[in-house]
Amino acid sequence: LDDLLDISRISKGKVALKHETVDLEVILRRAVLSTDHHRKKLHQPLVFQAPKTPLFVAGDPVRLEQIFSNLLTNASKYSGSGDTVTLQARQNGNNAEITVSDKGVGLNQDALESIFIPFHQLAQGGRSMKGLGIGLALVRSFVLMHEGTVTVSSRGLGLGSRFTVTLPLL
């Protein structure tokens, strides 16, 4: 319900971000903890490759955590029992680059952009019926509000997905 309200607020321009200095590793660890029950239920190990140096960004800690919680939840949801989910954070020039990868159902190349459209769902073996199709739309909206980008890549169906969020460093 909260995600649905957020989509409505975003579409009406009524979401304001708090801007403060945020340590991304702290945010990522919170997102890992808040989504741990999904992975435990499916016996999915998480590999977290923390940044070698602190990554500070200007942003809203609640919305940043929401971004990464949504990506981690999807990685678990669209992966099988025992599949590994990987979270990696690193510096890439003047940006923080965070990737969430899985070995799950993957995506066709023609679906890579449509998954960010609100309420759009792909038929993925019945898995799409577990949500409203707004999580990735929120991810993209909140990333853009933080002056960042989000991309997705997949080598195809059954070959997993990789979401990459890039945010400007302070």
Side-chain angles (χ1 to χ4, degrees):
L1 184 58
D2 288 337
D3 285 352
L4 191 56
L5 291 172
D6 283 340
I7 281 289
S8 176
R9 287 183 196 118
I10 288 169
S11 69
K12 294 177 181 178
K14 293 186 177 185
V15 171
L17 297 181
K18 295 178 185 175
H19 290 286
E20 56 188 74
T21 300
V22 178
D23 181 344
L24 274 179
E25 184 173 355
V26 171
I27 296 301
L28 295 173
R29 291 193 184 281
R30 283 188 200 152
V32 166
L33 284 174
S34 71
T35 60
D36 194 45
H37 62 284
H38 294 287
R39 290 182 304 281
K40 282 186 178 180
K41 182 178 175 184
L42 294 170
H43 309 286
Q44 296 166 328
L46 173 76
V47 174
F48 179 31
Q49 298 171 354
K52 293 182 188 325
T53 59
L55 302 175
F56 293 103
V57 299
D60 186 321
V62 171
R63 299 308 186 182
L64 288 167
E65 182 179 342
Q66 191 173 359
I67 290 166
F68 299 110
S69 293
N70 278 342
L71 293 175
L72 287 167
T73 297
N74 278 0
S76 176
K77 178 177 164 182
Y78 292 103
S79 295
S81 181
D83 286 350
T84 299
V85 173
T86 302
L87 172 63
Q88 179 185 29
R90 66 185 189 98
Q91 183 172 344
N92 185 3
N94 293 327
N95 294 309
E97 186 177 271
I98 304 93
T99 59
V100 177
S101 307
D102 64 64
K103 296 179 179 5
V105 297
L107 296 161
N108 282 324
Q109 294 302 306
D110 61 345
L112 294 179
E113 280 302 310
S114 65
I115 62 171
F116 293 105
I117 298 170
F119 308 107
H120 181 81
Q121 293 183 320
L122 302 174
Q124 299 286 11
R127 295 176 196 230
S128 62
M129 295 304 147
K130 293 183 181 178
L132 296 174
I134 56 177
L136 291 175
L138 279 178
V139 165
R140 176 165 274 174
S141 294
F142 288 142
V143 168
L144 290 173
M145 291 173 78
H146 283 88
E147 299 180 14
T149 61
V150 59
T151 59
V152 60
S153 62
S154 177
R155 291 181 291 145
L157 292 178
L159 300 174
S161 301
R162 172 183 280 234
F163 288 83
T164 303
V165 173
T166 303
L167 298 167
L169 290 168
L170 288 178

